[in-house]
Amino acid sequence: MDTGKEQRSLVVSIGDACKALGIGRTCFYQMLLGEKIRVIKIGNRTLVPQSELERIASGRPIDESTVLVHYLDNGATAGVTHKRFGRETDDAR
């Protein structure tokens, strides 16, 4: 059923995130290395949640207790990288 509304993606590619933020890929990766943006990994793809783009555009800082990278494999969470540890850990919590 067509309601006339365009459906918004929950996640975007790094290239689309750069376009939306008006930055280059180098700046994006510097933000990622500086832990200023969160991404998710689905298989080999790295994607940026739309909520992250909105957070950055509004100037809100990243929550210190948050997970920076979600690793997803075959639709199930395989592990996550936590800011505090900086390494992949089990998602058994």
Side-chain angles (χ1 to χ4, degrees):
M1 179 164 92
D2 184 17
T3 61
K5 294 182 181 178
E6 185 178 322
Q7 187 165 354
R8 189 177 94 168
S9 296
L10 295 177
V11 294
V12 297
S13 68
I14 289 175
D16 288 342
C18 290
K19 287 178 192 172
L21 294 172
I23 61 174
R25 291 178 82 87
T26 301
C27 182
F28 178 88
Y29 284 110
Q30 288 173 340
M31 290 175 67
L32 186 59
L33 289 172
E35 299 180 344
K36 304 227 182 291
I37 190 166
R38 287 174 280 201
V39 297
I40 62 172
K41 294 282 289 181
I42 301 178
N44 291 330
R45 295 192 68 195
T46 301
L47 301 168
V48 183
Q50 196 66 249
S51 59
E52 273 300 283
L53 299 179
E54 292 166 3
R55 182 190 60 76
I56 291 167
S58 70
R60 291 190 323 264
I62 198 165
D63 180 4
E64 292 294 323
S65 65
T66 193
V67 173
L68 289 177
V69 181
H70 285 276
Y71 291 94
L72 304 175
D73 186 25
N74 297 328
T77 302
V80 295
T81 299
H82 291 271
K83 180 175 188 228
R84 180 178 296 150
F85 305 113
R87 59 182 164 77
E88 190 171 323
T89 58
D90 288 333
D91 191 34
R93 295 175 217 187

